[in-house]
């Protein structure tokens, strides 16, 4: 079957057997190997991607089920021209990873959380990442990394607001 989806802002197509999982389509057909396979049984969250902005485990979906939909993988986290997104900077600064196997999924879950809740509590972060397993870090620094991203996004938004206010004042 032919499937077409928007992946990280670009329309991508491929011919797949109906049984092909989304994670295999991303990794094998599109060579987006930042999406990891940990368990293949919907348990670990390593394969998490965003489907229309919501985190999903891509080992749980068939590629044909997302025909026509929007997918974001870890490769699409940084905006065009930016080396790293705030969530990636947070994981770097707070040492939110060790082996890195869980990290793409954790960062996508974290970025989706911050989209709908820009100032989460630690408990809200823990709830958001509760479907993702990390065998290395003990989770403390993952929570700190997401808080770091929340803070830098909020500071950037304040800076943008101040700039817009100054520009509005200058035109009066
Ligand atoms: Fe999909 Fe573990 S590989 S949840
Ligand atoms: Fe190794 Fe999370 S950093 S599994």
């Amino acid at each position: 079957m032919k499937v077409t989806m928007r992946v990280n802002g670009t329309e991508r197509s491929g011919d797949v057997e109906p049984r092909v999982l989304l994670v295999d389509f991303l990794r094998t057909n599109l060579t987006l190997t930042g999406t990891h396979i940990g368990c293949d049984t919907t348990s670990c969250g390593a394969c998490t991607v965003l489907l229309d902005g919501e985190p999903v485990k891509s080992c749980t979906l068939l590629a044909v089920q997302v025909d026509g939909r929007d997918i974001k993988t870890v490769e699409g986290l940084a905006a065009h021209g930016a080396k790293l997104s705030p969530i990636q900077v947070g994981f770097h600064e707070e040492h939110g990873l060790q082996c890195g196997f869980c990290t793409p999924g954790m960062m996508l879950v974290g970025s989706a959380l911050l989209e709908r809740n820009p100032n989460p509590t630690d408990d809200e972060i823990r709830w958001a990442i509760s479907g993702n397993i990390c065998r290395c870090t003990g989770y403390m620094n993952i929570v700190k990394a997401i808080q770091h991203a929340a803070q830098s996004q909020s500071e950037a938004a304040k800076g943008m607001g101040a700039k817009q206010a100054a520009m509005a004042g200058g035109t009066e």
Side-chain angles (χ1 to χ4, degrees):
M1 294 177 76
K2 180 167 183 187
V3 287
T4 302
M5 59 191 84
R6 197 166 173 78
V7 181
N8 300 330
T10 303
E11 194 165 286
R12 306 292 300 268
S13 298
D15 288 312
V16 295
E17 290 189 37
R19 63 181 172 80
V20 168
L21 296 172
L22 176 59
V23 67
D24 291 321
F25 178 72
L26 293 171
R27 289 177 55 85
T28 305
N29 295 58
L30 304 187
T31 61
L32 292 172
T33 52
T35 303
H36 295 159
I37 302 173
C39 64
D40 216 0
T41 54
T42 325
S43 303
C44 73
C47 65
T48 302
V49 298
L50 302 187
L51 171 62
D52 296 334
E54 291 297 323
V56 294
K57 293 174 176 172
S58 60
C59 74
T60 305
L61 288 161
L62 300 170
V64 293
Q65 285 178 290
V66 302
D67 189 42
R69 311 277 293 273
D70 191 83
I71 299 287
K72 185 184 275 191
T73 69
V74 66
E75 289 89 347
L77 268 177
H80 285 306
K83 281 191 187 151
L84 295 174
S85 65
I87 196 89
Q88 289 169 307
V89 172
F91 273 74
H92 179 255
E93 292 294 323
E94 300 291 347
H95 308 289
L97 63 144
Q98 289 179 30
C99 79
F101 204 82
C102 71
T103 312
M106 291 288 187
M107 292 195 300
L108 286 160
V109 165
S111 69
L113 170 66
L114 297 183
E115 274 292 315
R116 62 177 188 277
N117 178 2
N119 294 300
T121 63
D122 284 0
D123 279 351
E124 286 169 335
I125 292 174
R126 287 179 181 281
W127 174 250
I129 63 170
S130 61
N132 293 59
I133 294 171
C134 176
R135 63 188 173 186
C136 308
T137 64
Y139 302 97
M140 296 288 291
N141 287 1
I142 292 175
V143 175
K144 283 188 197 168
I146 296 172
Q147 285 293 16
H148 188 288
Q151 185 141 4
S152 62
Q153 284 184 350
S154 139
E155 280 162 16
K158 276 186 207 152
M160 186 77 78
K163 200 171 166 186
Q164 281 170 350
M167 283 171 71
T171 55
E172 282 173 1

